[in-house]
Amino acid sequence: MTDLVAILRDRLDAAFAAVAGERVDAAVRRSDRADFQADGALALAKPLRRNPREIAADVVAKADLDDLCERVEIAGPGFINLTVAADALSRLTAEVAGDARLGVPPAGSPETVVLDYSQPNIAKEMHVGHLRSTIIGDAEARTLEWLGHRVVRQNHVGDWGTNFGMLIEHLVDLGEGAGAHELSVGDLDGFYKAARAKFEASEQFKERSRRRVVLLQGGDEETLRLWHVLVDESTRYFQYVYDKLDVTMTPDDLAGESMYNPDLPDVVAELDRVGLLQDSDGARCVFPQGMVNREGEPMPLIVVKRDGGWGYDTTDLAAIRHRVRDLGATRILYVIDWGQRFHFDLVFQAAREAGWLAPPVRAEFVGFGVVLGTDGKRLRTRAGDSIKLADLLDEAVARAAAAVAEKNPSLDDETKQRVARAVGIGALKYADLSNDRVKDYVFDWDRMLSFDGNTAPYLQYAHARIRSIFRRGGYDGDQLDRLGTAPIRISEPAEKQLAIQLLGLAGVVERSADEVAFHRLCGYLYGVATGFTRFYEQCPVLKAGDEETRVSRLRLCDLTARVLERGLGLLGIHAPDRM
């Protein structure tokens, strides 16, 4: 183990347990008075009826810290201040530098994680409202896979329902070829709005649409063929947007509402068999235990509508059953905006009562806030429409290209384009992920594309600056590999602070994935970049006074670059070597 916080916590936890006679959290954290501080003694004062300073003294006496800390002190009412020894830092940092996984172990008990995210609607434009689900879900998928879990991506697109009657009829009116072309060039909004306008204006078109829905649900061959035209062209356009955004979603991950249609009769029958279905005002419903509205009335999931049809409630229940039984999920994550929280609370509770969500299987709602404009309102165009996601991505790259050209006009055109895409898309992703996902955040071009502060361009520039050190020193890949056997010496304060930061990667990656909280990983990486900046300003590298120090600092630089590249990669962000 090379995670310094975890090592300290494990050893202090054992000492606290020896003093308290039971498991106790040592509460280890970074400190501005020492390297770390453990606060666990304060919580034990009342149950043990002892002075917390005395408890802390007993803990220190029993703790195995001699090989880690050069100084352990008791401060204030019972804090334990820990100063890590330079030789311990040198040893642990060298271990991480020599490890291809940078000290992050694979998961001890790998799981099958089904990840439901993005969720656009067929024949509707992907807009800024899809940004957060797609970015958060992609970061989670990348991180879980790197930790060794089996990740099954599920893009639960809206590809079924009454709207498809009007969409198919509009396709027929346009002519299949013309309609398919309109969808293929990305004018999904125009197609949908035109169909909706005809539906509202013409009773004849409305009646045709209703008849078409019946044909679709009845499995009419020609209607299904036309439906596939809508689905296929929309899917191609979605993939065009996903490729622009550089996310790992593919057409193979498509899991639309329609795929569950064959399962719905069995789902209804099973719910009835276990006694969960109740008749209610002509419909058949499940009333999950403990789920009530503001008036205290039981809230239903409508499994069978009055007309005998099925809706979202039934499809979502079928999806859970499929994900557990057929995909083998032990963890199911739904990355969806907060507005749907109560609906999924109902679905999860019903699935528990049906026996589909039984330990160790669990479902988690991963909610997120809204993207706001600088005016504090939901981000939209000046006309009040939702911003097309593809347009937003193009603007990000264009703005980044201008910033990169100003920062480094000597780059050749091909490199400029590649770096502009990395910086622009990276800035969008990082601006989202660096905020606590449960909160709204303000979309501000100037801030997110800044090369200063907690931004992707700042981190990318730090990585590029490190790589430039090796270019200036004439170090190629083989020479870097040979440096890998040299010792790392930690002696200067800036070296020490950077090393401590680098040794925290494992804990923050695991916690970010467990909580789907990537602002933690972003904050960590920002700490690495700022720590490197201090180190670079205070500790000469290529001009170090002696060969051993120079090689040691080069290895520390290389480790920093690898940590930045890996961390940004987990977020779905590229780390260019030149900027």
Side-chain angles (χ1 to χ4, degrees):
M1 181 188 292
T2 54
D3 184 331
L4 184 54
V5 173
I7 295 172
L8 290 170
R9 184 178 58 240
D10 287 352
R11 296 194 186 184
L12 284 167
D13 280 355
F16 271 102
V19 171
E22 60 183 7
R23 182 179 173 82
V24 176
D25 181 6
V28 177
R29 60 183 177 85
R30 289 295 298 273
S31 171
D32 56 2
R33 297 189 176 184
D35 295 328
F36 295 93
Q37 179 175 297
D39 301 342
L42 278 69
L44 285 176
K46 188 173 181 179
L48 296 184
R49 298 181 181 180
R50 294 182 60 194
N51 184 301
R53 285 185 64 92
E54 294 177 2
I55 297 172
D58 284 354
V59 168
V60 169
K62 294 180 181 297
D64 179 16
L65 298 171
D66 290 346
D67 63 330
L68 285 177
C69 297
E70 66 180 30
R71 189 164 59 253
V72 180
E73 300 173 321
I74 299 168
F79 303 129
I80 301 174
N81 288 340
L82 307 158
T83 301
V84 183
D87 60 346
L89 284 176
S90 299
R91 172 174 50 82
L92 292 171
T93 305
E95 285 183 33
V96 171
D99 179 13
R101 291 188 56 85
L102 301 170
V104 183
S109 301
E111 294 194 86
T112 293
V113 183
V114 170
L115 193 52
D116 187 332
Y117 66 105
S118 197
Q119 310 118 357
N121 290 312
I122 296 299
K124 283 189 178 181
E125 187 67 51
M126 286 188 74
H127 53 77
V128 69
H130 295 105
L131 187 66
R132 299 212 72 185
S133 176
T134 307
I135 289 174
I136 295 167
D138 186 62
E140 180 72 358
R142 291 172 187 264
T143 305
L144 287 171
E145 284 181 331
W146 191 59
L147 289 173
H149 300 285
R150 172 180 173 247
V151 176
V152 182
R153 295 162 176 79
Q154 295 279 272
N155 195 357
H156 192 88
V157 299
D159 67 350
W160 201 251
T162 56
N163 278 342
F164 281 88
M166 83 177 183
L167 293 170
I168 292 171
E169 286 300 318
H170 182 54
L171 179 64
V172 171
D173 287 353
L174 286 176
E176 188 176 327
H181 176 72
E182 187 173 325
L183 292 168
S184 69
V185 298
D187 192 16
L188 277 67
D189 268 0
F191 185 93
Y192 184 88
K193 288 177 180 178
R196 171 57 66 183
K198 286 163 67 174
F199 187 85
E200 298 295 340
S202 169
E203 286 298 324
Q204 182 184 19
F205 183 81
K206 190 177 292 187
E207 182 56 34
R208 283 168 51 199
S209 300
R210 288 169 177 161
R211 288 199 300 268
R212 186 66 76 171
V213 171
V214 174
L215 290 171
L216 179 64
Q217 293 177 341
D220 174 69
E221 186 175 330
E222 175 63 10
T223 300
L224 285 172
R225 189 185 67 78
L226 292 168
W227 171 78
H228 273 293
V229 171
L230 294 174
V231 172
D232 292 346
E233 294 298 341
S234 296
T235 300
R236 272 191 279 273
Y237 186 70
F238 295 158
Q239 194 58 46
Y240 166 75
V241 177
Y242 291 141
D243 290 344
K244 273 180 173 287
L245 188 54
D246 192 21
V247 295
T248 53
M249 188 75 80
T250 73
D252 291 339
D253 304 317
L254 208 67
E257 296 166 31
S258 61
M259 72 172 280
Y260 301 108
N261 283 334
D263 299 336
L264 298 185
D266 286 344
V267 169
V268 174
E270 187 169 345
L271 292 171
D272 196 19
R273 190 163 57 250
V274 297
L276 291 178
L277 279 189
Q278 300 181 36
D279 293 328
S280 178
D281 197 21
R284 305 203 71 193
C285 305
V286 173
F287 289 87
Q289 296 175 15
M291 307 301 294
V292 297
N293 61 19
R294 293 179 180 177
E295 288 72 39
E297 301 167 334
M299 288 294 292
L301 281 169
I302 302 174
V303 179
V304 183
K305 299 178 182 178
R306 294 178 190 174
D307 61 5
W310 301 301
Y312 298 124
D313 293 352
T314 326
T315 303
D316 286 334
L317 287 169
I320 281 192
R321 193 181 76 150
H322 167 73
R323 291 165 180 180
V324 175
R325 293 185 177 175
D326 301 326
L327 300 180
T330 52
R331 186 184 185 196
I332 311 173
L333 301 175
Y334 290 77
V335 187
I336 300 175
D337 70 84
W338 280 117
Q340 297 190 53
R341 174 63 185 265
F342 187 71
H343 165 72
F344 279 97
D345 283 347
L346 287 167
V347 171
F348 295 166
Q349 181 58 28
R352 292 186 194 99
E353 293 173 29
W356 303 330
L357 282 182
V361 183
R362 68 268 190 213
E364 303 168 33
F365 184 85
V366 182
F368 53 82
V370 174
V371 182
L372 304 175
T374 53
D375 58 359
K377 299 178 181 179
R378 188 184 290 264
L379 185 64
R380 295 185 181 277
T381 65
R382 291 182 180 177
D385 298 324
S386 290
I387 297 174
K388 291 185 177 183
L389 187 50
D391 292 346
L392 190 74
L393 302 180
D394 288 341
E395 184 172 358
V397 174
R399 286 175 177 263
V404 169
E406 181 180 349
K407 189 80 172 175
N408 190 352
S410 65
L411 290 177
D412 62 83
D413 289 343
E414 182 181 347
T415 303
K416 281 181 184 176
Q417 292 175 7
R418 186 172 62 253
V419 172
R421 185 166 186 268
V423 171
I425 301 302
L428 273 178
K429 291 182 176 182
Y430 195 88
D432 188 304
L433 295 169
S434 61
N435 288 276
D436 189 336
R437 67 168 166 79
V438 304
K439 300 177 181 178
D440 301 343
Y441 80 91
V442 175
F443 191 96
D444 184 337
W445 284 117
D446 291 339
R447 186 183 66 80
M448 69 174 60
L449 285 166
S450 173
F451 283 80
D452 296 310
N454 189 14
T455 67
Y458 176 74
L459 301 183
Q460 290 168 317
Y461 187 69
H463 174 269
R465 185 165 62 171
I466 296 170
R467 291 306 176 204
S468 74
I469 294 172
F470 291 96
R471 288 195 298 274
R472 293 200 310 273
Y475 289 91
D476 59 20
D478 290 339
Q479 289 170 313
L480 276 176
D481 289 342
R482 285 195 290 273
L483 292 180
T485 59
I488 294 179
R489 295 190 316 182
I490 304 297
S491 57
E492 297 297 324
E495 289 177 317
K496 182 175 184 179
Q497 291 307 307
L498 177 57
I500 288 174
Q501 186 72 14
L502 292 169
L503 292 173
L505 179 63
V508 76
V509 167
E510 291 164 3
R511 189 175 180 188
S512 296
D514 186 56
E515 300 175 3
V516 196
F518 288 96
H519 66 288
R520 301 191 186 284
L521 179 55
C522 292
Y524 167 81
L525 294 174
Y526 179 58
V528 169
T530 55
F532 174 78
T533 298
R534 287 191 295 270
F535 159 78
Y536 187 67
E537 291 171 349
Q538 298 173 23
C539 302
V541 179
L542 295 177
K543 296 183 179 180
D546 59 84
E547 176 70 6
E548 187 175 352
T549 300
R550 182 170 60 83
V551 171
S552 172
R553 289 177 180 173
L554 283 169
R555 290 201 68 197
L556 199 56
C557 287
D558 182 56
L559 175 57
T560 303
R562 290 166 57 204
V563 167
L564 287 173
E565 184 174 17
R566 170 53 66 186
L568 288 170
L570 296 178
L571 302 175
I573 299 171
H574 289 285
D577 286 347
R578 299 173 185 267
M579 284 181 67

